[in-house]
Amino acid sequence: MVKIFAMTHKEFDVPGDSMYVPLHVGHAKAQKDFGYMGDDTGDNISDLNCYYAELSGVYWVWKNYNEADYVGVCHYRRFLTDENGYAFTQKEYEEILSRYDIVTTKQLELPNSYRYGFGAHHNVEMLDETGKIIKERHPEFYDTYVSLVNQNKTYFGNMMVARKDVYDEYCAWLFDIFFELQKRVDLTFADDYHKRVFGFISEFLLYVWVTVKGLRAYECRVAIIGEKKETNEIITQMRRFFAQRDAAGAKEYFAQYLKKRPDVIMEASDITGECKLCLQAVSTANLELAEYGRCFLEQMNDYDAVIGYFRQLNKAAAEYVKRAAVNRTAENKPKAEYVQTIEADGFDMAVVRQASDIALQAAVRLYAADAQTAREAFEQIKIYQRE
């Protein structure tokens, strides 16, 4: 039997499948009760939920639930699914887990190393102290930890399904590290988002643990139900800033918001990619103003039009980057054939023709692996623009 606990701090539409059990995390200090099972019975860390996020529920399942052969964790908005976006049935989970040791998310590929990304949004000393504790208490994990923390991949969301003994072994390892870390670090934070530091670090530690243990991991998609409140708030504000052609105001708003909630542009939160496109649009507009004294918002200030414009621009940029990379190792195609092939892919090339050099360079840099490829792709786009 498989039981998957959906960690939540708010009321939500519980899946009809009895395999899913809602678990109210942080229940010990919750202001409202939704009638769900709470994480504050038995052996628990519910009162530490502000630091541990969904991990207070992960801990509760470890210490208090032993009625299923397989247990798992998902979120009230996020569920593990097959490639078509359908949640697995109990029978499908049992079949998968007969061949694999753990079911979890696909690996996220980050633009920089995990350590770099963590340090950009959190106090990197907490991550480094985690490494020291691993070296002291679990030295067999340390070399892999050092290697992976300097690479650019991680799991996310603390979502997993495994045999109960595998789950328990992981929890024993994880909380041994975190309870020691809790003694060593300052738990004073400027806001509630950054308080959830143990929850953030654990996403990466699951990747370390699976790698060192040599587990057969079935990595799958995550279905996300509905946008986050924060995502909708950003989109609403961007509609207003774009309509007013206020590039500077949009830049200031975004900068302040990202200080509080840098996760809103991460893949796991920005499910439509609109927040990231908004950031690209705002950055482009302000760079154009600085360089030209004007920006694209003078000709186009409807939110949906702006988002559509940058989606098309990015599609074309990605294709030009791909061709530039291929041309490094293969004989260059004649210019006419190159352009014809690009147009045949169905991108709106009118967008490319009207884009400024700043907009094109920014879009190309999103996809180019190195400066040379970016430069070559940009040069090909400029050839097309001049024709």
Side-chain angles (χ1 to χ4, degrees):
M1 183 174 67
V2 180
K3 281 293 181 183
I4 299 175
F5 291 84
M7 307 300 177
T8 188
H9 60 284
K10 60 177 64 177
E11 195 168 12
F12 73 108
D13 292 329
V14 180
D17 192 329
S18 61
M19 176 173 61
Y20 292 98
V21 180
L23 183 63
H24 189 162
V25 295
H27 191 259
K29 295 184 177 180
Q31 296 182 350
K32 186 176 181 180
D33 185 90
F34 308 116
Y36 306 145
M37 182 186 300
D39 67 346
D40 54 345
T41 61
D43 187 347
N44 72 86
I45 56 169
S46 183
D47 59 343
L48 296 176
N49 174 261
C50 62
Y51 304 112
Y52 282 87
E54 64 275 354
L55 291 183
S56 65
V58 171
Y59 182 94
W60 186 91
V61 174
W62 170 36
K63 291 294 188 178
N64 299 285
Y65 186 82
N66 294 289
E67 298 175 17
D69 302 311
Y70 302 95
V71 296
V73 174
C74 69
H75 297 203
Y76 70 96
R77 294 179 59 251
R78 297 174 182 158
F79 298 84
L80 298 170
T81 73
D82 63 20
E83 288 300 310
N84 296 313
Y86 293 103
F88 298 113
T89 64
Q90 177 132 193
K91 184 177 180 180
E92 287 171 330
Y93 266 122
E94 290 175 350
E95 193 281 325
I96 292 169
L97 287 164
S98 71
R99 296 180 290 114
Y100 292 87
D101 301 306
I102 187 170
V103 182
T104 188
T105 68
K106 289 182 183 293
Q107 296 173 28
L108 284 182
E109 291 198 11
L110 311 172
N112 302 103
S113 71
Y114 180 82
R115 185 180 185 279
Y116 178 92
F118 186 89
H121 304 302
H122 306 280
N123 181 358
V124 76
E125 292 180 2
M126 299 195 74
L127 183 63
D128 292 342
E129 192 64 36
T130 301
K132 293 177 183 177
I133 294 170
I134 290 174
K135 185 176 184 179
E136 295 167 11
R137 302 174 74 96
H138 304 278
E140 69 276 19
F141 287 83
Y142 182 68
D143 287 346
T144 300
Y145 167 85
V146 172
S147 175
L148 296 183
V149 83
N150 289 297
Q151 295 179 28
N152 69 330
K153 293 181 179 179
T154 185
Y155 292 135
F156 74 95
N158 291 312
M159 301 175 66
M160 60 180 287
V161 183
R163 214 171 54 238
K164 183 61 164 64
D165 63 306
V166 174
Y167 179 94
D168 289 352
E169 183 183 353
Y170 167 66
C171 287
W173 176 81
L174 180 72
F175 288 103
D176 178 68
I177 294 168
F178 280 165
F179 290 160
E180 179 61 27
L181 181 62
Q182 188 177 327
K183 298 174 186 176
R184 300 188 186 187
V185 297
D186 181 5
L187 293 180
T188 302
F189 297 92
D191 54 61
D192 289 341
Y193 170 76
H194 289 92
K195 275 185 180 179
R196 307 197 314 257
V197 63
F198 297 109
F200 294 126
I201 296 176
S202 63
E203 294 176 316
F204 173 70
L205 291 189
L206 177 60
Y207 180 44
V208 174
W209 188 75
V210 167
T211 302
V212 173
K213 299 296 288 186
L215 298 186
R216 298 165 298 170
Y218 188 88
E219 299 176 356
C220 55
R221 292 181 57 183
V222 175
I224 304 180
I225 303 173
E227 291 279 9
K228 279 189 171 183
K229 172 179 68 69
E230 295 83 2
T231 302
N232 288 328
E233 180 182 332
I234 287 175
I235 291 172
T236 298
Q237 292 300 319
M238 287 302 109
R239 286 186 183 277
R240 181 172 63 83
F241 283 119
F242 291 167
Q244 296 174 353
R245 298 183 170 87
D246 185 2
K251 178 182 178 181
E252 177 62 20
Y253 171 83
F254 233 124
Q256 293 302 317
Y257 206 100
L258 288 176
K259 285 182 180 179
K260 298 184 298 180
R261 294 301 304 267
D263 62 316
V264 293
I265 59 171
M266 296 177 185
E267 289 86 349
S269 298
D270 186 20
I271 60 177
T272 65
E274 284 191 42
C275 284
K276 196 171 292 183
L277 287 168
C278 284
L279 181 58
Q280 181 183 354
V282 170
S283 299
T284 299
N286 280 277
L287 288 170
E288 287 177 346
L289 282 173
E291 181 70 19
Y292 312 129
R294 53 185 171 76
C295 71
F296 70 85
L297 288 174
E298 294 181 13
Q299 284 75 44
M300 172 177 50
N301 67 331
D302 174 74
Y303 175 86
D304 294 326
V306 170
I307 294 301
Y309 171 82
F310 279 94
R311 284 196 192 280
Q312 287 296 321
L313 184 62
N314 288 350
K315 285 183 180 179
E319 183 63 23
Y320 273 104
V321 166
K322 182 173 71 175
R323 300 303 171 92
V326 169
N327 286 345
R328 291 276 202 87
T329 56
E331 183 179 351
N332 288 348
K333 293 182 179 181
K335 180 179 63 178
E337 181 182 348
Y338 187 94
V339 172
Q340 184 180 19
T341 304
I342 294 289
E343 289 182 319
D345 286 327
F347 302 123
D348 184 357
M349 297 307 292
V351 168
V352 175
R353 290 194 181 95
Q354 73 183 84
S356 69
D357 284 2
I358 285 173
L360 292 171
Q361 288 171 335
V364 164
R365 282 196 294 268
L366 291 174
Y367 300 97
D370 55 73
Q372 184 178 344
T373 301
R375 183 170 60 254
E376 291 172 358
F378 176 71
E379 289 171 355
Q380 288 292 336
I381 295 176
K382 292 303 293 180
I383 290 172
Y384 182 83
Q385 273 191 325
R386 290 194 291 268
E387 292 189 342

